[in-house]
Amino acid sequence: MPRVGVVVSDAAIARDVLLDLDHFSKVGPGAPSDLWTPVLGPSVLLNMEGAEHAALRRTLGPLFSPRAVRQLVSAGADDDGVLPDLTRRLAAGEVVDLAAVVTAQAGAVICGMVGLPPTDHAVRSAMTAARTITGMVRLHRHGLTRSQVTRAREVLERLTTPARAAYRAGDPATVPGRMRDLGLSEREAMGAVGAFVLTGTETIQSFVPRLVAIAHDTAWTARLLGPDAELRRRAVEEGLRVTVPTPAMLRSVRSATSVAGVPVAAGDRVVIATVNCCRAAGGFDPDRPVDPAVRHLWFGAGPHFCLGMPLAMAQVDAVLDALAAAATDGRVPVVGRRRAERGVLVPAYRTLELRLEEDAA
C-alpha cells in the first residue's frame, strides 16, 4: 500500500514475520523506533532488538512477577477504593459508568508506577493526556511530527517528574525505586515508565468496557462473571481477539526477503494488521476452538511478546471480580447508555453505563 508499506492480514504470516528476527526488526525505517525513540529515548523495549533488548527485558521481568503485579493492582483496592465502590453502587441499584471506573482504576495503577498516591489528580490527568499521544499515530506517517513530539515530551515530563524523584529516593515500595534496585539507570527507568504508561493505559481503558459490552450483546454476561474460571479465561481471550488491543504492529525489513511471496528490500516497512489477522475467525464465540496462529497474537510473539501482559490480565480480573461480587440473586450488569470515544488509537467507550437487572438468559 503506497505510503503505508507491505500489509499483512493473515495470522500465520504475521507470526512468521514476528518470529523472523533476521529479516524484520523493531528498529529501522518505519519501525516502532521511528515513532517512539524521539519521545522516550533509545533504551525502551518498544524500540530495541538483540542482546540489549533481551538484557533489559530480563532486568524488568521481576516487576511483572505475580507478587509485584498483585501489589500494583491492589492500589486503591481498599474499602474506599474504586472497585469496592463499583460493587457497592451496583448492588445498591445505582447506574454506574464503567468507562469512568476503569479509567480511575488504570489511574491508580499508573500512580503506583510513578510513585504517587492513587488519588493524585495530576498523574491521572497526565494519564489521560497519554492517550492523546497514541491517538496521534497515523499509519501513513512513519513518525510523529515535530510539534507532536514536543507535546508528547511535555506530557511524559509531567509523568516522569514524580517518577524521577521516586527513583532518586530509591524507595523499594515504588516501581521507580525497584527499578533502581534492579540496576536500571535513571534514563532507562524513566523510559520504561513512559513506555508502560503509553502502551498499557489505553489497553485497559479500551478493553474492559468493550468486553462487558460484547458479553451483554451476546448474552454472555452471566457466564463471564460466573464461578467457572476456565470459562472466564476463554471469554476474556475471545474478547481480546475481537477487540484487538494492538490493532497494528510495525517492522522494518533488515535484509532482502519476501513476505508470502511478496519481495521486500532492506528499509521497507511491514505493517501487520493485527485487527484483520485476529478478526478473520468471525464474531465473539468463546466456544469456538482457537487457531494456534491467532492465540495471543495481539500481545506479539517471540522475544517481543508483551512483558506487561500479567499486569493487564490482573487488572481485567480485578474489574470482573468487582462486577461478579455485585451480580448476586440472579442479577447481572446490563448495559444502558453507551457512547464511543473519539480521537483514540484503539476504539474505546467514553461512556458505558451499567445497572443490575434480572438475568434474562
Side-chain angles (χ1 to χ4, degrees):
M1 293 183 64
R3 301 177 65 193
V4 174
V6 175
V7 179
V8 176
S9 295
D10 175 86
I13 298 170
R15 192 171 292 274
D16 287 344
V17 170
L18 294 175
L19 294 176
D20 185 352
L21 306 182
D22 292 331
H23 294 101
F24 305 100
S25 174
K26 297 188 80 168
V27 178
S33 60
D34 271 1
L35 280 171
W36 302 124
T37 298
V39 177
L40 298 168
S43 299
V44 294
L45 294 177
L46 294 174
N47 57 3
M48 297 174 71
E49 285 285 3
E52 291 184 349
H53 171 269
L56 182 57
R57 186 181 175 96
R58 283 194 301 271
T59 302
L60 291 170
L63 295 177
F64 298 96
S65 68
R67 179 181 178 184
V69 163
R70 283 195 301 270
Q71 288 176 338
L72 272 175
V73 175
S74 67
D78 54 28
D79 288 343
D80 296 324
V82 61
L83 295 184
D85 186 59
L86 167 64
T87 301
R88 284 193 296 267
R89 291 176 62 196
L90 281 175
E94 293 186 38
V95 174
V96 180
D97 181 3
L98 184 64
V101 169
V102 173
T103 296
Q105 183 226 16
V109 172
I110 295 305
C111 286
M113 292 197 73
V114 301
L116 285 179
T119 56
D120 189 88
H121 176 72
V123 175
R124 295 189 187 209
S125 297
M127 178 204 67
T128 301
R131 297 181 70 189
T132 68
I133 299 176
T134 56
M136 298 174 188
V137 176
R138 298 292 183 271
L139 286 180
H140 66 270
R141 290 199 305 258
H142 285 200
L144 302 179
T145 66
R146 184 174 301 177
S147 63
Q148 288 173 332
V149 169
T150 299
R151 183 181 177 192
R153 285 176 174 171
E154 290 172 352
V155 170
L156 289 174
E157 180 61 28
R158 287 157 54 194
L159 283 169
T160 56
T161 294
R164 199 179 304 277
Y167 176 92
R168 292 174 180 175
D171 183 357
T174 67
V175 171
R178 289 201 294 274
M179 287 180 174
R180 179 173 176 173
D181 284 348
L182 292 170
L184 271 72
S185 69
E186 183 173 310
R187 182 181 184 182
E188 289 172 331
M190 296 309 99
V193 167
F196 293 146
V197 169
L198 287 181
T199 59
T201 300
E202 192 162 25
T203 298
I204 296 303
Q205 287 181 309
S206 166
F207 174 63
V208 177
R210 291 177 74 190
L211 171 65
V212 172
I214 290 169
H216 168 85
D217 295 342
T218 57
W220 259 86
T221 304
R223 284 172 284 181
L224 174 66
L225 302 180
D228 190 329
E230 173 61 20
L231 200 59
R232 177 193 284 193
R233 183 194 65 77
R234 287 183 3 229
V236 168
E237 291 200 0
E238 179 68 351
L240 286 164
R241 182 189 68 80
V242 298
T243 60
V244 199
T246 309
M249 299 179 188
L250 307 176
R251 292 295 186 269
S252 182
V253 179
R254 302 179 71 171
S255 60
T257 185
S258 63
V259 178
V262 177
V264 291
D268 285 351
R269 187 196 206 198
V270 175
V271 177
I272 296 173
T274 327
V275 65
N276 294 346
C277 298
C278 294
R279 287 183 174 176
F284 180 81
D285 182 5
D287 291 325
R288 181 193 297 118
V290 178
D291 180 353
V294 175
R295 185 183 297 276
H296 295 158
L297 186 62
W298 45 88
F299 285 131
H304 290 290
F305 188 83
C306 179
L307 181 64
M309 186 191 78
L311 178 58
M313 293 299 93
Q315 289 180 264
V316 172
D317 274 332
V319 180
L320 295 182
D321 286 343
L323 292 174
T328 58
D329 301 323
R331 298 181 300 165
V332 297
V334 173
V335 175
R337 189 170 66 101
R338 62 180 99 178
R339 191 162 47 132
E341 186 64 272
R342 302 298 179 191
V344 291
L345 176 64
V346 181
Y349 284 109
R350 169 175 261 180
T351 301
L352 188 81
E353 293 183 349
L354 298 180
R355 66 184 182 280
L356 286 186
E357 289 188 3
E358 295 293 325
D359 181 14

